[in-house]
Amino acid sequence: MAPKSQQGKSSGGQKVPKTVSNKEILSVSEEAEPLNMESIGHPEIYPLVLTTKTQEIFSCRVNEDFTDEQPYKLIKKQDIFADFHKRAAISDFYPFKKIIQGYPGDELLLVYDKDFKYGFNFYFIGTEEGKENYLNPPAVSEEQEEKEFKEHVSENMLIYTPPISKPWVSLGSEKEIEEESVKESTKQITYMISRKRSEFGAPIKFSDHNASSVKDAYIECKAYPDKNFTLKKLEKDVGMLAVPQVKNTGTQTRWTYPQNATTQYYPREFLEEEKEILGQSKPLTDFLNSVSISVEIALQQNEIMNTFIDDWKCLAEEEGTFGDKTDTHLKEYQSFTDLHNLTEKMITCVSWHPDIYGLIAVSVAVRLSFEDRVYFSGKLLLQPSLILFWSFSDPIHPQLMLEGPDDIFCFKFCPTNPNIIAGGCINGQIVMWDITAHADRIENIKTGGSSSKKPTLKPMFLLEPDSNKEAMYIRHCAVSSIESGHKKVITDIHWLSDTFEVNRTGSVFENRSEICCQLATCSADCTICFWDIRPQKTLTPQPAEKKKEESIEIPFDIPTTFLHLDLSWKPLFKITLSKGETSLDHCPTKISLCEDYLLSKAQDKLSAQNKVVKAEEMNPYRNLESGLANILRPIDDFCTKFFVGTEEGEVIYADWKLERDHETGRWMTKKPVNLCAVHDGTVHTVQRSPFYKDIILTIGGWNIAIWKEGVMTGPLLQSSCAPKRYTSGHWSLTRPSVFYIGRDDGYLDIWDLLEKTHEPAQSQNICITMITSIKPWNFSAKQQFIAVADYYGTLHILEIPWTLRHPSANEASSVSHYFEREVRHLEYVEKRKKIREQEKKEMELETEKKNVKPYQKSKEQLEAELKMDYESYLELEKTILLNVGLIKETDRKSSMDMM
């Protein structure tokens, strides 16, 4: 009997069954009697467990030394005694020491028990007779084998006995079948129709005439009920067979690769003789005269109105758009909660699988502040950081669980290969997963009778019996270097399009591989990084000895897709958004690249051109050569500018392309093109419209804003402060004028720009806590869902009603005209500002002119003026006195002489 420490897993990776009772487990000692199969008639068989170490010592490894053709091996007693001497009681053969010592032969027969027939993975035969019978089995008759088998089988065990064919005995069933059979009850009538022999082959001429004008020209045979032939149905036997629902659909095949083609041909023309004959033909002339009036009327009708318009379709559209408003609320379709994880966690990011119906992935993180994370850091290391895959077919158990090194706050599926997932952690690391090996677990390969190409999910209870109880954990296959990457939490991550790639200076080049192989991330450490997942060519080759030292044994369950990136992944280049005069930088939270519009359009139609790499194919990322080592064609007219939302509520329009500093010669980040402080809180959403590539929605604090790329004066629309803080948002995928916004009180605001532009069209309560993420998804023209995640870790799947998913006839053009009007309004306001500033300057100049001080005279001039004023005063005084008669003229002259 093997010791207790060896009863876990066998070398073949299979668990030892738990049917062995505790009475059979004995402690390892020489006095303990070893277990044999005497109870079932084989006292010479002794089962045991051989560990991997013992298998290597005796060269009896499973699937190498033991095969299905030769499941046994002869082991020398001397080798077993040498193992006793070397390992003593640790040896797996030690419990059978007395049996081996008493064995008369020199070699023991060791047999690999693949099916655990005797309870363990190996057994050896302790007698020479049993050894000889196993190697050279004697011919035993079937009756003797059956007799021996019955002796050793207990009475309670059921034994299968095949049925014996017996002659058929009639019990009256054939009469019932005969009664139910249909038989002819009426007598058959035979009719014979003949005509004269002289009329055979005579020519017959048919002509048309009006049947209503001739009496008894036709007879109408109407159906009527006849009571004589009415039968009352008392009983009816119907046979049914349950079959799956079959749906037949058709489609028009589109040419994937259209090419220009020309064909030269000659029109068929009548000969001159034929034209003369047709011109003189009376039937043709009569036909043209008879239909000319009808053709003229038809042409006039086509000019007046469209005869091919579908009135019913237009009527239904008008009714749904402007009529009944009862079908405007979101209806809850399903909800998901991780019941197995008791830790209080919140959902940080939500993403639908691009091409599998009803599969959605969410990332969860612990609901703790920064101080609490530091305090409970020891406990948090023991808890897994997961991305959960939920399916509509199983709302209780996650289909897959992706493990990360730390809590994940954002992740994205690769647009060209949905089996590749990139995520950003709270510690600043980028994580890569490859779920190609588990693709069969989540997608249904059999399409059945349906012609739809959209894959569906397998019910999990059809895959494995215990798959619903134990979730599949998948470890990450690569993680970035923590020294060279971000230093704080990664708040947003984006895949660059497969049409271009960037180098270390931000210049744009063509992507020859047509596979998404670069990422852009932003973090709270005030940096935006660009990453490349392809292997970079090193300038100096490493020596072979150093490679052997650095080589680490990789577990078998981790794919080697991105092994070249693990713990050594560094960004291509970093950019920082400087605040200008100060040494501080802006702290980005969300970014929106110019290629996000193309990626959103590409995800709507994943067709045969989708470059999904199957499990059996080679790894394309390892075979790709780095863009830095190849000479690629640059793309000159590519827009490298992008929008950034910051932690302070600012919206920045910047350029990721680096420029060389003239003084130092280093590559530096360009200054932001435009900066507007619009929001009064952290920006949570920066997203381009799926219908207009130059329209951007930003959400932060208590308000929202809509921007147009190229308009630097400000946002086209800026809402007033909401009653509660906004936390997330998303554009509608089918209506250009609709977008959804989540609030911290659990309400979802639905905005419709065609209905209201100053407030939401409607608000609906979804949960009792803060909404953390919103993600809509369009499954078909008749079904559209929106996923709403909350702070308590619950994912709500809501069905969008018809009015919110079906656009009106001219909605796209109406919204476009609205944006154009707002642009003209901003231009007008900007012009008025300039005019007001000019008027203000002119008014200031006028006031300055009015307030100018007069010319100041000198002291001598003032004294002279005062003297002249005084003299004129004295002269006036003398004149008045003289006129009054108080003084005489002589006195005046004398006074004048004195002066």
Side-chain angles (χ1 to χ4, degrees):
M1 184 71 183
K4 292 183 179 180
S5 62
Q6 300 173 359
Q7 294 179 3
K9 290 186 177 181
S10 64
S11 61
Q14 299 177 352
K15 294 184 178 180
V16 178
K18 297 182 180 180
T19 57
V20 181
S21 62
N22 294 331
K23 294 180 182 181
E24 295 178 356
I25 300 175
L26 302 175
S27 62
V28 178
S29 64
E30 294 186 17
E31 292 78 9
E33 183 180 354
L35 178 66
N36 65 351
M37 297 292 106
E38 185 178 2
S39 60
I40 62 174
H42 294 285
E44 73 280 1
I45 293 177
Y46 295 91
L48 75 161
V49 175
L50 295 185
T51 60
T52 307
K53 183 67 176 176
T54 305
Q55 296 178 23
E56 293 176 356
I57 292 172
F58 292 95
S59 298
C60 55
R61 296 180 294 272
V62 178
N63 297 330
E64 294 182 9
D65 301 315
F66 288 99
T67 60
D68 295 339
E69 293 79 12
Q70 188 176 358
Y72 62 87
K73 185 177 182 181
L74 295 174
I75 300 177
K76 296 181 180 181
K77 288 174 59 178
Q78 296 178 359
D79 296 342
I80 298 177
F81 292 153
D83 189 49
F84 290 162
H85 181 71
K86 184 178 181 180
R87 298 197 297 170
I90 304 177
S91 176
D92 295 336
F93 290 98
Y94 193 81
F96 309 94
K97 183 176 181 181
K98 290 183 179 181
I99 300 171
I100 296 172
Q101 288 176 350
Y103 184 74
D106 296 334
E107 292 180 341
L108 275 80
L109 181 63
L110 181 67
V111 183
Y112 172 51
D113 192 0
K114 181 180 179 180
D115 300 328
F116 290 85
K117 181 178 180 181
Y118 300 110
F120 299 102
N121 58 348
F122 289 92
Y123 67 86
F124 72 90
I125 299 176
T127 61
E128 283 288 334
E129 182 181 0
K131 170 183 172 183
E132 209 45 49
N133 291 336
Y134 184 86
L135 296 176
N136 301 313
V140 184
S141 61
E142 296 180 357
E143 296 179 357
Q144 187 177 354
E145 287 183 356
E146 184 177 357
K147 183 177 181 182
E148 292 178 358
F149 179 74
K150 290 183 178 179
E151 290 177 359
H152 301 293
V153 174
S154 61
E155 297 179 357
N156 296 330
M157 185 179 295
L158 296 176
I159 302 173
Y160 172 75
T161 56
I164 302 172
S165 60
K166 298 178 182 180
W168 180 73
V169 179
S170 175
L171 298 178
S173 59
E174 71 278 3
K175 295 182 179 179
E176 296 180 0
I177 297 174
E178 187 178 357
E179 291 176 357
E180 294 293 335
S181 61
V182 180
K183 297 180 180 179
E184 295 182 359
S185 59
T186 59
K187 185 180 179 181
Q188 294 183 354
I189 302 175
T190 304
Y191 291 95
M192 181 177 178
I193 301 174
S194 63
R195 63 186 301 182
K196 294 181 180 180
R197 182 72 177 90
S198 59
E199 296 180 358
F200 284 178
I204 300 174
K205 186 177 181 181
F206 296 97
S207 60
D208 298 333
H209 68 276
N210 193 353
S212 59
S213 60
V214 182
K215 185 179 180 181
D216 299 333
Y218 68 96
I219 300 175
E220 184 179 4
C221 299
K222 295 183 179 180
Y224 64 96
D226 191 351
K227 296 182 180 179
N228 299 325
F229 296 95
T230 303
L231 301 178
K232 188 176 182 181
K233 190 181 295 183
L234 299 178
E235 184 178 356
K236 183 178 181 182
D237 292 339
V238 180
M240 295 181 64
L241 180 62
V243 295
Q245 186 177 1
V246 180
K247 182 181 179 182
N248 295 325
T249 57
T251 181
Q252 180 67 30
T253 305
R254 293 185 178 180
W255 195 8
T256 309
Y257 303 101
Q259 297 178 354
N260 295 328
T262 59
T263 303
Q264 186 175 3
Y265 67 95
Y266 294 95
R268 181 183 178 276
E269 297 181 356
F270 289 105
L271 299 176
E272 295 296 333
E273 299 178 355
E274 295 178 346
K275 292 180 180 179
E276 293 179 0
I277 295 173
L278 290 175
Q280 299 174 1
S281 176
K282 185 178 180 181
L284 179 61
T285 305
D286 297 340
F287 171 75
L288 294 177
N289 293 332
S290 61
V291 300
S292 59
I293 300 175
S294 302
V295 171
E296 290 180 1
I297 294 173
L299 292 175
Q300 293 175 1
Q301 290 178 352
N302 291 339
E303 293 294 332
I304 296 173
M305 61 177 295
N306 185 9
T307 58
F308 301 101
I309 192 171
D310 191 352
D311 297 331
W312 291 104
K313 186 176 180 180
C314 298
L315 182 62
E317 180 180 349
E318 294 295 328
E319 181 182 357
T321 307
F322 304 103
D324 190 11
K325 297 294 182 180
T326 57
D327 190 19
T328 58
H329 292 277
L330 303 174
K331 299 178 182 179
E332 185 160 1
Y333 185 81
Q334 207 164 13
S335 62
F336 301 97
T337 305
D338 189 8
L339 303 176
H340 305 283
N341 194 351
L342 301 179
T343 308
E344 295 182 354
K345 292 190 175 183
M346 65 175 179
I347 297 177
T348 56
C349 185
V350 178
S351 181
W352 293 88
H353 197 282
D355 56 355
I356 296 182
Y357 174 86
L359 188 65
I360 186 171
V362 297
S363 59
V364 294
V366 182
R367 300 198 303 264
L368 293 177
S369 61
F370 179 76
E371 293 78 8
D372 294 336
R373 280 184 176 273
V374 175
Y375 183 75
F376 296 105
S377 59
K379 295 182 179 180
L380 294 178
L381 292 175
L382 303 177
Q383 299 177 2
S385 302
L386 303 173
I387 293 179
L388 307 177
F389 279 72
W390 294 103
S391 170
F392 285 177
S393 62
D394 188 0
I396 299 177
H397 306 94
Q399 309 302 300
L400 294 177
M401 291 187 180
L402 308 185
E403 291 184 336
D406 210 336
D407 285 347
I408 300 154
F409 274 72
C410 58
F411 69 94
K412 285 288 180 66
F413 287 94
C414 179
T416 56
N417 187 356
N419 294 326
I420 304 299
I421 304 169
C425 299
I426 192 174
N427 61 356
Q429 287 181 298
I430 304 293
V431 191
M432 299 293 295
W433 291 274
D434 186 3
I435 60 173
T436 305
H438 308 276
D440 293 339
R441 182 182 176 89
I442 58 175
E443 69 178 15
N444 188 3
I445 301 177
K446 299 179 180 180
T447 58
S450 177
S451 61
S452 178
K453 295 183 179 180
K454 182 178 290 184
T456 57
L457 286 172
K458 285 184 179 179
M460 294 305 297
F461 57 82
L462 296 179
L463 294 174
E464 297 178 4
D466 297 334
S467 61
N468 289 341
K469 298 180 182 179
E470 298 181 3
M472 177 70 70
Y473 286 86
I474 301 175
R475 292 186 59 187
H476 56 273
C477 56
V479 65
S480 64
S481 173
I482 198 168
E483 295 85 3
S484 305
H486 294 290
K487 307 301 180 184
K488 292 184 180 181
V489 55
I490 297 176
T491 56
D492 200 4
I493 185 170
H494 290 266
W495 286 91
L496 299 188
S497 175
D498 58 348
T499 58
F500 74 96
E501 62 180 73
V502 296
N503 62 357
R504 296 186 183 275
T505 61
S507 301
V508 182
F509 296 87
E510 63 176 355
N511 188 353
R512 295 179 180 175
S513 62
E514 297 184 354
I515 294 177
C516 293
C517 53
Q518 289 184 338
L519 295 163
T521 58
C522 68
S523 173
D525 60 353
C526 304
T527 59
I528 299 174
C529 295
F530 287 78
W531 309 76
D532 198 320
I533 63 178
R534 297 171 294 186
Q536 305 295 327
K537 291 186 177 180
T538 56
L539 299 177
T540 57
Q542 297 181 356
E545 297 179 357
K546 189 174 181 181
K547 288 183 178 180
K548 291 181 180 179
E549 293 177 0
E550 294 179 354
S551 62
I552 302 174
E553 186 177 357
I554 304 171
F556 68 93
D557 58 340
I558 298 179
T560 60
T561 311
F562 303 105
L563 180 61
H564 55 279
L565 301 177
D566 197 18
L567 299 176
S568 62
W569 193 13
K570 299 179 182 180
L572 275 178
F573 65 94
K574 295 182 181 180
I575 61 175
T576 56
L577 304 176
S578 176
K579 289 189 176 181
E581 298 178 356
T582 63
S583 61
L584 302 177
D585 297 328
H586 295 283
C587 181
T589 56
K590 296 292 180 180
I591 59 176
S592 176
L593 306 177
C594 60
E595 290 298 323
D596 290 347
Y597 174 81
L598 300 178
L599 290 177
S600 63
K601 288 292 183 183
Q603 289 179 355
D604 293 342
K605 47 177 182 179
L606 287 175
S607 59
Q609 298 178 355
N610 192 6
K611 311 172 187 65
V612 177
V613 181
K614 299 182 180 179
E616 61 270 11
E617 296 178 350
M618 297 179 63
N619 177 17
Y621 298 98
R622 183 173 294 277
N623 298 329
L624 288 177
E625 296 182 357
S626 173
L628 302 178
N630 298 328
I631 300 176
L632 300 177
R633 182 176 61 86
I635 304 175
D636 298 330
D637 57 346
F638 192 89
C639 180
T640 57
K641 298 180 178 61
F642 63 104
F643 280 83
V644 182
T646 66
E647 193 174 6
E648 294 83 7
E650 300 167 332
V651 178
I652 303 174
Y653 189 56
D655 193 345
W656 76 56
K657 193 173 183 179
L658 304 180
E659 63 180 1
R660 192 179 292 275
D661 191 1
H662 299 289
E663 297 179 358
T664 61
R666 297 180 179 179
W667 291 99
M668 305 293 291
T669 308
K670 296 181 180 180
K671 294 182 179 180
V673 180
N674 190 25
L675 187 147
C676 293
V678 174
H679 302 285
D680 47 8
T682 304
V683 178
H684 298 286
T685 301
V686 179
Q687 187 190 17
R688 292 181 181 267
S689 171
F691 300 92
Y692 315 100
K693 63 180 182 180
D694 56 348
I695 299 297
I696 296 91
L697 171 67
T698 60
I699 301 172
W702 280 264
N703 63 345
I704 65 170
I706 297 179
W707 309 76
K708 184 177 178 64
E709 192 170 8
V711 179
M712 304 300 176
T713 54
L716 304 182
L717 173 66
Q718 181 179 357
S719 67
S720 59
C721 291
K724 294 293 180 179
R725 186 169 57 93
Y726 290 144
T727 56
S728 61
H730 204 286
W731 284 100
S732 173
L733 301 180
T734 53
R735 290 196 59 185
S737 64
V738 176
F739 53 89
Y740 309 94
I741 301 177
R743 305 191 321 205
D744 61 354
D745 59 349
Y747 276 81
L748 185 69
D749 289 347
I750 304 173
W751 287 69
D752 191 348
L753 299 179
L754 294 182
E755 185 174 349
K756 297 179 181 179
T757 58
H758 64 286
E759 63 180 0
Q762 65 180 25
S763 298
Q764 183 175 344
N765 182 263
I766 306 300
C767 53
I768 60 174
T769 183
M770 179 178 64
I771 295 175
T772 58
S773 183
I774 296 175
K775 192 72 173 179
W777 193 252
N778 188 23
F779 290 111
S780 64
K782 297 182 179 180
Q783 195 174 36
Q784 190 180 90
F785 295 116
I786 182 171
V788 180
D790 62 12
Y791 186 70
Y792 286 163
T794 303
L795 180 64
H796 306 269
I797 306 297
L798 306 172
E799 188 173 1
I800 300 177
W802 188 89
T803 55
L804 294 179
R805 70 172 184 265
H806 190 271
S808 59
N810 301 320
E811 182 169 344
S813 59
S814 300
V815 176
S816 178
H817 292 329
Y818 167 73
F819 291 146
E820 292 175 0
R821 289 197 306 269
E822 292 299 323
V823 171
R824 291 195 296 268
H825 174 71
L826 287 177
E827 293 176 354
Y828 173 76
V829 172
E830 190 66 19
K831 291 179 181 179
R832 296 300 302 173
K833 283 184 179 180
K834 293 180 181 179
I835 295 173
R836 292 298 182 187
E837 290 176 358
Q838 186 67 24
E839 292 177 353
K840 185 177 180 181
K841 291 180 181 180
E842 294 176 357
M843 292 176 65
E844 289 177 355
L845 291 175
E846 291 179 0
T847 54
E848 288 179 359
K849 290 180 180 179
K850 292 180 180 179
N851 297 331
V852 173
K853 296 181 179 180
Y855 175 73
Q856 294 182 357
K857 299 179 181 180
S858 63
K859 186 177 180 181
E860 291 79 5
Q861 291 177 349
L862 292 174
E863 289 178 354
E865 290 180 356
L866 290 174
K867 187 176 180 181
M868 290 176 65
D869 291 340
Y870 181 69
E871 289 178 355
S872 61
Y873 171 73
L874 292 177
E875 183 70 23
L876 179 62
E877 183 183 6
K878 295 286 186 179
T879 303
I880 294 172
L881 293 175
L882 183 63
N883 295 331
V884 175
L886 295 178
I887 60 174
K888 296 180 179 180
E889 185 69 24
T890 57
D891 296 335
R892 179 181 179 186
K893 291 181 178 180
S894 60
S895 60
M896 290 291 291
D897 296 336
M898 292 177 63
M899 294 178 62

